[in-house]
Short mmCIF file of all heavy atoms in Angstrom, two decimals:
data_model
loop_
_atom_site.label_atom_id
_atom_site.label_comp_id
_atom_site.label_asym_id
_atom_site.label_seq_id
_atom_site.Cartn_x
_atom_site.Cartn_y
_atom_site.Cartn_z
N MET G 1 -90.72 3.73 21.00
CA MET G 1 -91.66 3.45 22.07
C MET G 1 -90.96 3.50 23.42
O MET G 1 -91.04 2.58 24.21
CB MET G 1 -92.27 2.07 21.87
CG MET G 1 -93.26 1.97 20.75
SD MET G 1 -94.75 2.67 21.35
CE MET G 1 -95.76 2.66 19.92
N ALA G 18 -87.90 -11.51 41.58
CA ALA G 18 -88.79 -12.43 42.28
C ALA G 18 -88.67 -13.85 41.75
O ALA G 18 -88.98 -14.81 42.46
CB ALA G 18 -90.24 -11.96 42.15
N THR G 26 -90.33 -18.98 34.44
CA THR G 26 -90.98 -17.67 34.40
C THR G 26 -91.02 -17.14 32.98
O THR G 26 -92.04 -16.61 32.54
CB THR G 26 -90.24 -16.68 35.32
OG1 THR G 26 -90.23 -17.20 36.65
CG2 THR G 26 -90.92 -15.32 35.32
N ALA G 28 -91.13 -18.80 30.27
CA ALA G 28 -92.09 -19.57 29.48
C ALA G 28 -93.50 -19.05 29.66
O ALA G 28 -94.20 -18.76 28.68
CB ALA G 28 -92.01 -21.05 29.85
N ALA G 37 -101.70 -11.31 25.38
CA ALA G 37 -101.98 -9.89 25.60
C ALA G 37 -101.77 -9.05 24.35
O ALA G 37 -102.31 -7.96 24.23
CB ALA G 37 -101.11 -9.35 26.73
N TYR G 45 -111.24 -5.68 24.54
CA TYR G 45 -112.14 -6.23 25.56
C TYR G 45 -111.72 -5.76 26.95
O TYR G 45 -112.54 -5.28 27.73
CB TYR G 45 -112.15 -7.75 25.48
CG TYR G 45 -112.89 -8.42 26.61
CD1 TYR G 45 -114.29 -8.48 26.62
CD2 TYR G 45 -112.21 -9.01 27.67
CE1 TYR G 45 -114.98 -9.08 27.65
CE2 TYR G 45 -112.89 -9.62 28.71
CZ TYR G 45 -114.27 -9.65 28.69
OH TYR G 45 -114.95 -10.25 29.73
N VAL G 51 -115.95 -3.98 31.64
CA VAL G 51 -115.29 -5.24 31.97
C VAL G 51 -114.44 -5.03 33.22
O VAL G 51 -113.59 -4.13 33.27
CB VAL G 51 -114.41 -5.71 30.79
CG1 VAL G 51 -113.62 -6.95 31.17
CG2 VAL G 51 -115.26 -5.97 29.57
N PHE G 75 -98.96 -12.00 39.16
CA PHE G 75 -98.37 -11.00 38.26
C PHE G 75 -99.41 -10.51 37.26
O PHE G 75 -99.53 -9.30 37.03
CB PHE G 75 -97.16 -11.60 37.53
CG PHE G 75 -96.47 -10.64 36.62
CD1 PHE G 75 -95.68 -9.62 37.14
CD2 PHE G 75 -96.63 -10.72 35.26
CE1 PHE G 75 -95.05 -8.72 36.30
CE2 PHE G 75 -96.01 -9.81 34.40
CZ PHE G 75 -95.22 -8.81 34.94
N VAL G 79 -100.79 -6.65 36.72
CA VAL G 79 -100.70 -5.96 35.43
C VAL G 79 -102.08 -5.48 34.98
O VAL G 79 -102.24 -4.34 34.54
CB VAL G 79 -100.06 -6.88 34.37
CG1 VAL G 79 -100.20 -6.31 32.98
CG2 VAL G 79 -98.59 -7.12 34.69
N GLU G 81 -104.85 -4.98 36.89
CA GLU G 81 -105.40 -3.98 37.81
C GLU G 81 -104.75 -2.61 37.63
O GLU G 81 -105.39 -1.58 37.86
CB GLU G 81 -105.26 -4.45 39.25
CG GLU G 81 -106.21 -5.59 39.58
CD GLU G 81 -105.94 -6.24 40.92
OE1 GLU G 81 -105.03 -5.79 41.65
OE2 GLU G 81 -106.63 -7.22 41.23
N ALA G 93 -90.25 -8.83 26.75
CA ALA G 93 -89.01 -8.57 26.01
C ALA G 93 -87.90 -8.10 26.95
O ALA G 93 -86.76 -8.57 26.85
CB ALA G 93 -89.27 -7.53 24.93
N ASN G 100 -81.10 -13.09 29.57
CA ASN G 100 -79.96 -13.35 28.69
C ASN G 100 -78.69 -12.72 29.22
O ASN G 100 -77.60 -13.30 29.10
CB ASN G 100 -80.25 -12.83 27.27
CG ASN G 100 -81.27 -13.67 26.55
OD1 ASN G 100 -81.53 -14.81 26.92
ND2 ASN G 100 -81.86 -13.11 25.52
N ASP G 107 -80.64 -13.42 22.16
CA ASP G 107 -81.65 -13.96 21.25
C ASP G 107 -81.22 -13.63 19.83
O ASP G 107 -80.72 -12.54 19.56
CB ASP G 107 -83.02 -13.34 21.52
CG ASP G 107 -83.63 -13.83 22.83
OD1 ASP G 107 -83.29 -14.95 23.25
OD2 ASP G 107 -84.46 -13.10 23.41
N THR G 109 -82.55 -14.11 15.64
CA THR G 109 -83.57 -14.55 14.70
C THR G 109 -82.89 -14.84 13.38
O THR G 109 -82.16 -14.01 12.84
CB THR G 109 -84.65 -13.46 14.51
OG1 THR G 109 -85.18 -13.12 15.79
CG2 THR G 109 -85.77 -13.96 13.61
N ALA G 113 -84.86 -18.69 3.58
CA ALA G 113 -85.78 -18.89 2.46
C ALA G 113 -86.43 -20.27 2.54
O ALA G 113 -87.53 -20.46 2.04
CB ALA G 113 -85.04 -18.72 1.14
N PHE G 114 -85.74 -21.21 3.15
CA PHE G 114 -86.23 -22.59 3.23
C PHE G 114 -86.14 -23.08 4.66
O PHE G 114 -85.34 -22.57 5.46
CB PHE G 114 -85.39 -23.51 2.34
CG PHE G 114 -85.33 -23.05 0.90
CD1 PHE G 114 -84.20 -22.41 0.43
CD2 PHE G 114 -86.39 -23.25 0.05
CE1 PHE G 114 -84.13 -21.96 -0.88
CE2 PHE G 114 -86.35 -22.81 -1.26
CZ PHE G 114 -85.22 -22.16 -1.73
N LEU G 116 -84.99 -25.17 7.76
CA LEU G 116 -83.68 -25.74 8.11
C LEU G 116 -83.89 -27.01 8.93
O LEU G 116 -84.65 -27.01 9.90
CB LEU G 116 -82.87 -24.73 8.93
CG LEU G 116 -82.53 -23.40 8.25
CD1 LEU G 116 -81.89 -22.45 9.24
CD2 LEU G 116 -81.62 -23.64 7.07
N LEU G 124 -75.24 -24.14 11.76
CA LEU G 124 -75.40 -22.69 11.69
C LEU G 124 -75.26 -22.07 13.07
O LEU G 124 -74.60 -21.04 13.24
CB LEU G 124 -76.77 -22.34 11.09
CG LEU G 124 -77.09 -20.86 10.95
CD1 LEU G 124 -76.11 -20.17 10.02
CD2 LEU G 124 -78.52 -20.67 10.45
N THR G 127 -71.59 -21.97 14.09
CA THR G 127 -70.88 -20.94 13.33
C THR G 127 -71.23 -19.54 13.83
O THR G 127 -70.34 -18.69 14.00
CB THR G 127 -71.23 -21.05 11.82
OG1 THR G 127 -70.91 -22.37 11.39
CG2 THR G 127 -70.48 -20.03 11.00
N GLU G 129 -72.44 -18.69 16.82
CA GLU G 129 -71.93 -18.48 18.17
C GLU G 129 -70.45 -18.13 18.14
O GLU G 129 -69.99 -17.28 18.92
CB GLU G 129 -72.19 -19.71 19.04
CG GLU G 129 -73.65 -19.84 19.42
CD GLU G 129 -73.97 -21.08 20.23
OE1 GLU G 129 -73.05 -21.88 20.52
OE2 GLU G 129 -75.15 -21.27 20.56
N LYS G 134 -70.82 -15.42 21.60
CA LYS G 134 -71.69 -15.69 22.74
C LYS G 134 -72.70 -16.77 22.39
O LYS G 134 -72.91 -17.08 21.23
CB LYS G 134 -72.40 -14.43 23.20
CG LYS G 134 -73.23 -13.73 22.16
CD LYS G 134 -73.89 -12.48 22.72
CE LYS G 134 -73.44 -11.27 21.97
NZ LYS G 134 -74.02 -10.05 22.41
N LEU G 146 -86.12 -14.04 0.41
CA LEU G 146 -84.65 -14.04 0.45
C LEU G 146 -84.05 -14.84 -0.71
O LEU G 146 -82.86 -14.72 -0.98
CB LEU G 146 -84.14 -14.60 1.77
CG LEU G 146 -84.44 -13.79 3.02
CD1 LEU G 146 -83.92 -14.50 4.26
CD2 LEU G 146 -83.87 -12.40 2.93
N ARG G 151 -80.48 -14.58 6.71
CA ARG G 151 -80.22 -13.27 7.30
C ARG G 151 -80.39 -13.47 8.80
O ARG G 151 -81.40 -14.01 9.26
CB ARG G 151 -81.21 -12.23 6.79
CG ARG G 151 -80.93 -10.84 7.32
CD ARG G 151 -81.85 -9.83 6.71
NE ARG G 151 -83.21 -10.38 6.79
CZ ARG G 151 -84.29 -9.65 7.01
NH1 ARG G 151 -84.20 -8.37 7.11
NH2 ARG G 151 -85.47 -10.22 7.07
N THR G 161 -76.48 -12.91 4.42
CA THR G 161 -75.80 -13.67 3.38
C THR G 161 -76.81 -14.23 2.38
O THR G 161 -76.54 -15.23 1.73
CB THR G 161 -74.98 -14.83 3.99
OG1 THR G 161 -75.88 -15.72 4.64
CG2 THR G 161 -73.93 -14.32 4.95
N ALA G 165 -79.83 -10.12 -0.86
CA ALA G 165 -78.87 -9.07 -0.50
C ALA G 165 -77.74 -8.98 -1.51
O ALA G 165 -77.30 -7.89 -1.87
CB ALA G 165 -78.31 -9.34 0.91
N LEU G 167 -77.88 -9.82 -4.67
CA LEU G 167 -78.42 -9.21 -5.89
C LEU G 167 -78.55 -7.69 -5.75
O LEU G 167 -78.28 -6.95 -6.68
CB LEU G 167 -79.78 -9.84 -6.25
CG LEU G 167 -79.73 -11.28 -6.75
CD1 LEU G 167 -81.15 -11.83 -6.88
CD2 LEU G 167 -79.00 -11.37 -8.06
N LYS G 171 -76.73 -4.87 -8.01
CA LYS G 171 -77.53 -3.82 -8.63
C LYS G 171 -76.92 -2.45 -8.34
O LYS G 171 -76.75 -1.62 -9.24
CB LYS G 171 -78.97 -3.88 -8.12
CG LYS G 171 -79.86 -2.78 -8.64
CD LYS G 171 -81.25 -2.91 -8.02
CE LYS G 171 -82.10 -1.70 -8.37
NZ LYS G 171 -83.40 -1.76 -7.70
#
Side-chain angles (χ1 to χ4, degrees):
M1 288 282 174
T26 302
Y45 172 78
V51 175
F75 182 74
V79 169
E81 288 170 3
N100 289 341
D107 289 334
T109 305
F114 305 102
L116 298 173
L124 180 62
T127 303
E129 287 177 0
K134 57 180 120 179
L146 294 178
R151 183 176 47 144
T161 62
L167 290 172
K171 177 182 172 184

